[in-house]
């Protein structure tokens, strides 16, 4: 197999780490080490480690991807830097997918290690459609991240969808409220549509099919067509027709659209509160 991606150390291989690893394997990943307590094996040429203690000697990754839960960040970095500071000897970029962990807090944890390390850190925020290669990831580069390391991050996160770099770290809170939490807003719409279809007398299986295919089809159209969302909406909305009737209710001052900025602001506020 031809490897296009350099060797990586992936710490945490759950929902997000697992989605990333599957995509990287598909793209041709050089022999890498995956720390995972649950899986039994990992495909050749990669190595499975149960813990930091099991990482092979002389392994030299180009990137260390931290994909454990945010509350485990400090403990994991402290263990890594105490036991295997050699893994950082060749200046791998640290890529965090951990929600709410700021580059400053991560940098402080590395700096507090016995070796006083100061690696280049990239903070990322992927979302759940990454699991099917349709993710949207925001990235923010901390101090000292090189152009090559940014390109590597783009390739790695780009393997599960689209990527965008943010100029200021605080913008990641807004991004979290839009693309991070956004899939839940769309799933809620799917729930409402399905329920409304049932109330209109359709059987549940048909109601579910209509709700799902409407949302995924409209999403695909939005992705593929050059028109903006407002134009695509107008294309479905004939004056005096059925869609116009529904849109006039949805657009009423106290209804759904006016609550979206409020909901997004609440999510962004909560993201800031949770950021460490
Ligand atoms: N899921 C998402 O859509 C999403 C989106 C954006 C960001 N994120 C971020 O991604 C990170 C992981 O989330 P997730 O949903 O993938 O969680 P998850 O499914 O629980 O995966 C985390 C994995 O890390 C393992 N782990 C914990 N401590 C470890 C250690 N010291 N060494 C090696 N592995 C360790 C866990 O094993 P145990 O179960 O044994 O503890 C688990 O398998 C979080 O920080 C989250 O904020 C997730």
């Amino acid at each position: 197999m031809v490897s296009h991606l350099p060797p990586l150390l992936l710490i945490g291989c759950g929902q997000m780490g697992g989605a990333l690893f599957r995509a990287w394997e598909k793209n041709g990943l050089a022999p890498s080490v995956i720390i995972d307590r649950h899986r039994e094996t990992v495909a050749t040429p990669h190595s499975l480690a149960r813990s930091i203690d099991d990482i092979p000697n002389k392994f030299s990754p180009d990137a260390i991807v931290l994909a454990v839960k945010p509350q485990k960040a400090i403990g994991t970095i402290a263990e890594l830097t105490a036991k295997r500071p050699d893994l950082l000897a060749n200046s791998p970029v640290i890529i965090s997918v951990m929600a709410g962990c700021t580059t400053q807090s991560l940098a402080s944890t590395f700096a507090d290690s016995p070796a006083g390390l100061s690696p280049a850190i990239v903070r990322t925020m992927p979302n759940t459609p990454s699991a099917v290669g349709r993710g949207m990831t925001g990235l923010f580069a901390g101090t000292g991240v090189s152009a090559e390391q940014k390109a590597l991050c783009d390739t790695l996160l780009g393997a599960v969808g689209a990527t965008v770099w943010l100029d200021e770290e605080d913008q990641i809170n807004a991004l979290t409220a839009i693309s991070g939490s956004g899939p839940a807003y769309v799933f809620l719409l799917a729930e409402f549509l399905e329920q409304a279809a049932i109330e209109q007398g359709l059987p549940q299986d048909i109601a579910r099919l209509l709700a799902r295919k409407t949302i995924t089809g409209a999403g695909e159209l939005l992705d593929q067509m050059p028109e903006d969302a407002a134009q695509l909406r107008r294309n479905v909305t004939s004056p005096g027709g059925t869609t116009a009737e529904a849109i006039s209710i949805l657009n009423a001052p106290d209804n759904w659209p006016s609550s979206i900025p409020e909901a997004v602001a609440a999510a962004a506020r909560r993201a800031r509160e949770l950021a460490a």
Side-chain angles (χ1 to χ4, degrees):
M1 185 179 65
V2 181
S3 291
H4 303 286
L5 299 171
L8 312 173
L9 171 62
L10 172 63
I11 306 183
C13 202
Q15 299 287 329
M16 189 48 68
L20 289 167
F21 180 59
R22 281 192 298 278
W24 297 336
E25 268 190 303
K26 238 190 256 174
N27 289 10
L29 176 64
S32 292
V33 176
I34 287 82
I35 306 187
D36 186 21
R37 303 197 271 243
H38 304 287
R39 75 176 59 209
E40 295 300 320
T41 55
V42 71
T44 318
H46 311 298
S47 309
L48 182 65
R50 290 268 164 248
S51 70
I52 285 163
D53 296 309
D54 296 336
I55 301 172
N57 288 328
K58 296 196 179 148
F59 177 58
S60 181
D62 281 19
I64 298 179
V65 183
L66 297 171
V68 299
K69 291 282 190 198
Q71 58 272 26
K72 302 229 169 138
I74 293 177
T76 304
I77 294 170
E79 189 186 354
L80 177 75
T81 51
K83 292 181 172 169
R84 293 296 303 272
D86 58 294
L87 290 164
L88 289 111
N90 283 336
S91 307
V93 59
I94 306 297
I95 303 175
S96 164
V97 303
M98 301 177 299
C101 294
T102 64
T103 52
Q104 201 183 355
S105 72
L106 296 172
S108 302
T109 312
F110 279 100
D112 290 345
S113 66
L117 299 161
S118 53
I121 298 174
V122 171
R123 177 178 171 190
T124 74
M125 183 64 200
N127 65 2
T128 52
S130 300
V132 291
R134 301 296 302 266
M136 177 69 245
T137 301
L139 302 97
F140 174 76
T143 45
V145 179
S146 69
E148 291 76 18
Q149 288 173 326
K150 281 182 86 173
L152 174 59
C153 293
D154 257 333
T155 305
L156 292 175
L157 275 307
V160 291
T163 58
V164 66
W165 286 91
L166 302 172
D167 293 332
E168 289 169 33
E169 187 158 4
D170 185 60
Q171 293 172 327
I172 219 155
N173 297 308
L175 179 137
T176 299
I178 300 291
S179 56
S181 305
Y185 313 155
V186 177
F187 300 141
L188 182 63
L189 175 60
E191 290 174 58
F192 281 136
L193 278 181
E194 184 179 327
Q195 191 52 41
I198 291 167
E199 283 164 17
Q200 287 300 314
L202 291 169
Q204 211 223 328
D205 55 341
I206 293 180
R208 172 168 294 204
L209 181 72
L210 298 187
R212 287 182 174 211
K213 292 296 179 191
T214 301
I215 286 175
T216 53
E220 201 58 43
L221 205 58
L222 199 55
D223 208 33
Q224 290 190 19
M225 302 304 251
E227 292 95 335
D228 62 19
Q231 185 56 47
L232 290 171
R233 171 172 55 77
R234 282 192 285 272
N235 293 349
V236 195
T237 316
S238 320
T242 54
T243 313
E245 198 72 9
I247 296 277
S248 72
I249 291 170
L250 290 171
N251 261 340
D254 289 335
N255 275 349
W256 182 59
S258 61
S259 64
I260 289 177
E262 201 184 324
V264 167
R269 196 168 53 243
R270 188 70 183 133
R272 282 189 190 94
E273 283 166 9
L274 293 174

